Amino acid sequence: MPYATVQVRRLEHARDLLLHTNLAHVDIGIATGFCSNSYLSASYKRHFGHRPSHERMRNR
């Protein structure tokens, strides 16, 4: 499976965890295989157009 496909799946899983759990961002990063919270945040912003913290705030 191409890396880009795997990355998108990981980001979509991270988004699902953000929206449906109370896990901390760092725990979501670990659960979805990102090596650091900042890498998750930057990748998330590139893919979805906003940071994970904004996703959670606007959907709560």
Side-chain angles (χ1 to χ4, degrees), residues 3-47:
Y3 177 76
T5 303
V6 172
Q7 182 81 342
V8 168
R9 287 186 180 185
R10 289 167 57 208
L11 288 166
E12 288 173 350
H13 183 56
R15 184 177 192 210
D16 186 55
L17 291 173
L18 277 166
L19 296 175
H20 299 100
T21 71
N22 289 321
L23 289 172
H25 294 172
V26 67
D27 294 327
I28 291 172
I30 291 167
T32 53
F34 287 89
C35 60
S36 72
N37 193 39
S38 60
Y39 182 53
L40 167 61
S41 186
S43 298
Y44 197 97
K45 184 174 181 181
R46 260 194 313 278
H47 184 72

